Amino acid sequence: MKRIYLDNSATTRVDDRVAKTVVEYMIEKFGNPSSAHSFGQEAKYALDDSREKIAKVINAGVNEIYFTSGGTESDNWAIKGIADKYTAHNKKVHVITSSYEHSAIYAICKTYSKVFPNLFTVTFLSPDKTGLISFEQIKNEINKNTKLVSIMHVNNEIGVKNDISSIGKLCRDNNIIFHTDAVQSFTKIPIDVKAMNIDLLSASSHKIYGPKGVGMLYIRKKIEILPNQYGGHQESGMRTGTENIQGIVGFAKAAEIALNEMNDDIPRITKLRNKLYKLISKGLDNIILNSDLENGYGGILNLTFKGIEGEAVLLSLDLEGIAVSTGSACSTGQINPSRVLLSIGRTAEEAQSSIRFSVGRFNTDEEIEIAAKSVIEAVTRLRSMMN
Ligand SMILES: Cc1ncc(COP(=O)(O)O)c(C=O)c1O
């Protein structure tokens, strides 16, 4: 059975060109960048070169890129690194974020507001009808303690794209630090941290055909943020520990390829995603489109199939080798509806009936046709069982 992978927002297959580089840095150029000998210097050169490649994607300075273990660490660091500057001195700090951020932001904000109930306050904004967080909503919530705004660029479940440029400008004008979680948009949508007034930005390698366990936090030169790990001198003392060289080099190679090929990759992916929607919506009624096909990121299609469980669709497709996802979170044996879908106005039942398809670089026309046919069959069969 040929398997079809339509879960590219969860993770991606490593590109062969990246895998080759990663292996090279595991078995040949495996030195520690801190070592003075040629093995170490070879690794140090690769580290510097990788930082340059990553910086280029977002028009940052090389010294503004800090490698981490991935998007979760970068997101956590952005919140903790700013909040702790205040809480550590018994000072108040207010953060504005949204109710549909990834759990790497959402959970740390919830946790901090419990740990520091009198010092750390957070406003979770709900998206408007179009699924976006507006500049005006943020403006209305700013108070004298607001030190940080964290709003994601592209939402991982529905693919909507926030106008981070106008949010960045608002924050800069009000002297508030602006962080954006760009895990789903990095190398997929052009980003210029200078033009967009971004102070902190998170990205992750495994969403862009690079290896897992590596990512970065961009920290604008003028931003004061506490270190994330204490120890040696690595990452300018901000995130210490021997560098994950093979991961970093792989991440940079993946970013370089994605940047060079963005103009081919993204329109092709968007076309495939649109084809998938066209075929499914032609074959089925009673579906709700949860993605913005015009303005959102072109690789994500989120659909509600009214009257049936998304989990049941996922399992049916999995039996045929087709991988998709539901946004539902599984906790203590119960399936909870997606927080993201609830936040854009879906009922709990509708949210539980939803599937996210995420198209990537390696998908083909033929795969889309097979997947659409299987979705139509699975949904029709499951609905007939409900009657
Ligand atoms: C928007 C967003 N932020 C953060 C993360 C976490 O990234 P990582 O898996 O690299 O920890 C993800 C991963 O799903 C994501 O989609």
Side-chain angles (χ1 to χ4, degrees):
M1 178 172 62
K2 184 181 181 303
R3 295 198 297 167
I4 299 175
Y5 188 74
L6 287 174
D7 201 11
N8 288 278
S9 291
T11 197
T12 51
R13 157 180 163 347
V14 173
D15 190 295
D16 291 346
R17 295 165 286 183
V18 174
K20 194 165 165 262
T21 306
V22 171
V23 171
E24 189 186 337
Y25 279 86
M26 287 172 83
I27 62 176
E28 280 173 43
K29 303 179 177 174
F30 56 83
N32 183 329
S34 300
S35 302
H37 48 63
S38 68
F39 288 85
Q41 290 318 293
E42 196 170 52
K44 172 80 171 70
Y45 173 81
L47 179 64
D48 293 345
D49 181 57
S50 299
R51 211 181 296 283
E52 215 168 283
K53 286 183 174 136
I54 296 287
K56 191 175 167 205
V57 178
I58 55 172
N59 191 28
V62 272
N63 297 329
E64 296 175 313
I65 303 296
Y66 295 82
F67 289 112
T68 65
S69 65
T72 301
E73 182 186 332
S74 301
D75 281 352
N76 270 226
W77 184 7
I79 304 290
K80 285 195 292 187
I82 300 299
D84 288 349
K85 280 195 307 179
Y86 299 92
T87 56
H89 295 101
N90 232 11
K91 286 192 183 147
K92 291 190 172 166
V93 52
H94 172 237
V95 175
I96 301 176
T97 183
S98 80
S99 55
Y100 71 179
E101 294 296 313
H102 187 271
S103 48
I105 291 290
Y106 190 78
I108 184 110
C109 287
K110 282 271 176 197
T111 303
Y112 260 48
S113 53
K114 278 190 197 131
V115 175
F116 304 107
N118 303 319
L119 297 178
F120 184 94
T121 51
V122 52
T123 301
F124 291 103
L125 297 171
S126 292
D128 62 19
K129 278 201 195 79
T130 60
L132 299 178
I133 304 295
S134 75
F135 164 91
E136 283 78 19
Q137 284 173 287
I138 298 173
K139 199 170 170 191
N140 290 339
E141 295 298 333
I142 293 175
N143 67 42
K144 67 177 193 320
N145 296 320
T146 309
K147 304 292 183 213
L148 176 68
V149 168
S150 177
I151 299 293
M152 72 199 318
H153 192 189
V154 164
N155 181 276
N156 48 303
E157 282 188 42
I158 53 177
V160 290
K161 181 180 72 180
N162 281 307
D163 178 2
I164 52 172
S165 241
S166 69
I167 300 173
K169 169 101 176 46
L170 170 74
C171 291
R172 192 66 56 88
D173 288 348
N174 285 276
N175 210 12
I176 295 168
I177 295 170
F178 175 46
H179 167 254
T180 190
D181 175 341
V183 167
Q184 295 289 344
S185 62
F186 182 73
T187 70
K188 295 170 185 163
I189 292 171
I191 298 175
D192 181 327
V193 287
K194 292 195 179 83
M196 292 170 154
N197 291 306
I198 297 167
D199 297 309
L200 302 167
L201 177 145
S202 308
S204 177
S205 158
H206 73 105
K207 311 286 185 182
I208 64 161
Y209 316 95
K212 293 175 180 55
V214 56
M216 67 92 173
L217 182 66
Y218 153 76
I219 305 175
R220 189 164 73 91
K221 213 169 31 208
K222 295 212 167 81
I223 299 300
E224 275 180 44
I225 181 167
L226 296 178
N228 201 36
Q229 268 175 208
Y230 296 87
H233 59 277
Q234 296 93 345
E235 300 301 295
S236 311
M238 296 294 281
R239 201 278 184 183
T240 64
T242 302
E243 300 88 344
N244 169 9
I245 275 292
Q246 71 272 21
I248 290 170
V249 170
F251 179 24
K253 179 79 181 171
E256 185 182 41
I257 293 171
L259 188 64
N260 287 341
E261 298 179 2
M262 192 195 289
N263 290 341
D264 291 329
D265 248 10
I266 304 303
R268 200 180 66 80
I269 287 171
T270 307
K271 220 168 134 195
L272 290 178
R273 188 273 316 258
N274 292 349
K275 177 173 179 168
L276 182 64
Y277 176 61
K278 209 169 146 198
L279 292 174
I280 294 176
S281 56
K282 220 166 122 191
L284 291 172
D285 49 20
N286 276 322
I287 61 177
I288 306 173
L289 173 63
N290 299 315
S291 300
D292 180 348
L293 301 190
E294 292 286 306
N295 305 308
Y297 164 61
I300 295 181
L301 175 66
N302 193 308
L303 297 175
T304 300
F305 299 101
K306 284 193 186 172
I308 49 172
E309 289 282 326
E311 278 311 297
V313 179
L314 182 149
L315 293 175
S316 287
L317 294 176
D318 192 39
L319 286 174
E320 295 182 46
I322 301 169
V324 297
S325 100
T326 66
S328 312
C330 222
S331 63
T332 57
Q334 265 201 324
I335 297 174
N336 298 317
S338 149
R339 175 167 49 76
V340 174
L341 294 176
L342 294 179
S343 76
I344 59 162
R346 297 288 93 85
T347 63
E349 200 185 333
E350 286 167 348
Q352 302 263 42
S353 303
S354 304
I355 290 286
R356 177 190 68 185
F357 304 89
S358 44
V359 181
R361 179 182 292 163
F362 302 112
N363 290 124
T364 62
D365 262 298
E366 192 199 357
E367 287 182 341
I368 294 297
E369 284 157 20
I370 296 171
K373 190 164 169 279
S374 297
V375 171
I376 295 166
E377 282 168 8
V379 172
T380 307
R381 190 179 61 250
L382 289 165
R383 279 182 176 161
S384 72
M385 286 160 64
M386 300 302 288
N387 294 325

